[in-house]
Amino acid sequence: MNIFPESVSTYGSGIDNLFWLILAFAGTAFVISLFLLLYPLFKNHHTRVKRASYITGSLGKFHFKLVAVAMLIMAMSDFIILFAEHSTWEAFTTLPKQKDVEYIVTGRQWNWIFTYPGRDGVFGTADDVVIDEPNSELHVPINKNAFFQLKAKDVVHSFFVVNTRLKQDCIPGRTITRWINFTKEGKYDISCAEICGIAHTKMRNFIVVESNEKYDHFIDSLYNQQAATAGNQQ
Ligand SMILES: [Cu+2]
C-alpha cells in the first residue's frame, strides 16, 4: 500500500518502509494499551458489579512480572527498529564520495534563495548566480549526487522536498549539507516545514529534475545570461 506522494530519491523508499515498520509496532502497542484501559471499564460496569472491590496489591510479584515483561517487549521492539533503520539512516546522513553538482539553498522570510556556483564551480566568487524570486525553480540533473548546502538568513526554516523524503532544518549561522539523487524527471515541491512567520506558506518553490542534456543546456544559458548582465553593469 502506498499512501505517500511518489518517492523519487534513492533513499526515499527505505524511509517509507521504516514508517510502516514503526507504525506496526506503535499501532500494536496502542491497541493493546487501549484494550487494557477500556476492558475493565466494561467488565466492571456498575450493572454487573454490585460493590467495588478493594485491591490490596498483595499480588506484588505477579504484577511486577507483568510490568517487566511489557517493558522487555517495548525495549525489544525499539532495538528491532534501531537495527532496521541503520542502513537507511546511514544512506541519508552520509554524503556520497562523489559530488556531481552542488547548490546553496538559503531560507529567508519568505522565500527559498538558490545559489549556483557559476562556471568555476566555486561558491563565493563573482560568477555565482543567486536567484531570489517567489516560486522560482532550482534545476537539478537526474541520477546525479546533488549536494545542498542548507542555510537560513533570519529564523529557523525547514527544507522539505516531500517527494524525496528529505526534511532538514535550516539554522541561522550554520551550514548543513544534505544530498539527493533523483530517480525521476519532473517538477517537485519545495516547502518550508517550520512555521517561520506570517507568510510561512508563501515559501513554495520547486525543483525541476531533468535529463543531463536539458540540464547542461539550462546551466549554459543561465551562466551566459549572468555573464551578459554582469558585462552590462561594468
Ligand atoms: Cu520558512
Side-chain angles (χ1 to χ4, degrees):
M1 184 167 61
N2 199 0
I3 58 166
F4 302 119
E6 189 181 12
S7 159
V8 297
S9 69
T10 44
Y11 49 64
S13 59
I15 293 174
D16 290 353
N17 292 340
L18 283 177
F19 174 86
W20 291 116
L21 179 77
I22 294 168
L23 185 74
F25 281 115
T28 310
F30 175 73
V31 170
I32 292 173
S33 331
L34 215 60
F35 175 77
L36 292 177
L37 205 67
L38 296 180
Y39 178 67
L41 287 182
F42 286 109
K43 194 182 155 213
N44 301 314
H45 190 265
H46 70 92
T47 54
R48 277 171 231 132
V49 179
K50 287 209 177 75
R51 281 194 61 181
S53 56
Y54 178 65
I55 300 167
T56 60
S58 56
L59 292 169
K61 263 195 176 165
F62 176 64
H63 288 159
F64 179 79
K65 261 188 200 160
L66 282 183
V67 173
V69 167
M71 277 174 65
L72 205 70
I73 292 172
M74 290 302 274
M76 287 282 287
S77 57
D78 273 357
F79 279 118
I80 292 171
I81 291 168
L82 268 178
F83 182 75
E85 78 175 4
H86 186 261
S87 60
T88 307
W89 181 240
E90 195 75 357
F92 179 81
T93 52
T94 312
L95 294 172
K97 286 204 176 72
Q98 195 190 327
K99 172 170 73 182
D100 296 315
V101 283
E102 188 165 24
Y103 313 93
I104 298 176
V105 178
T106 310
R108 70 157 176 87
Q109 287 174 316
W110 288 277
N111 191 34
W112 291 107
I113 307 169
F114 303 129
T115 308
Y116 297 83
R119 288 201 200 281
D120 61 1
V122 180
F123 289 106
T125 49
D127 67 350
D128 288 11
V129 179
V130 181
I131 295 166
D132 184 2
E133 285 156 24
N135 311 124
S136 58
E137 297 169 350
L138 176 74
H139 289 244
V140 176
I142 190 170
N143 297 328
K144 297 275 180 185
N145 294 335
F147 283 36
F148 298 85
Q149 290 185 29
L150 302 172
K151 301 179 185 216
K153 260 197 165 165
D154 32 41
V155 298
V156 177
H157 299 273
S158 181
F159 181 71
F160 186 30
V161 188
V162 64
N163 290 93
T164 67
R165 315 297 187 250
L166 171 64
K167 187 192 271 176
Q168 173 63 55
D169 274 6
C170 302
I171 297 156
R174 279 180 65 181
T175 300
I176 298 168
T177 306
R178 293 282 183 224
W179 72 287
I180 303 171
N181 190 322
F182 284 91
T183 54
K184 196 178 172 192
E185 288 179 39
K187 185 174 170 179
Y188 305 106
D189 268 317
I190 304 173
S191 36
C192 180
E194 185 76 57
I195 301 269
C196 58
I198 193 78
H200 159 69
T201 52
K202 296 272 177 214
M203 290 185 71
R204 189 181 183 214
N205 299 68
F206 303 92
I207 287 189
V208 174
V209 180
E210 49 200 8
S211 67
N212 287 310
E213 300 79 53
K214 266 192 183 166
Y215 177 75
D216 289 344
H217 184 76
F218 168 81
I219 283 289
D220 235 32
S221 60
L222 179 76
Y223 288 173
N224 285 340
Q225 211 181 337
Q226 202 260 357
T229 46
N232 286 341
Q233 280 163 1
Q234 276 168 7

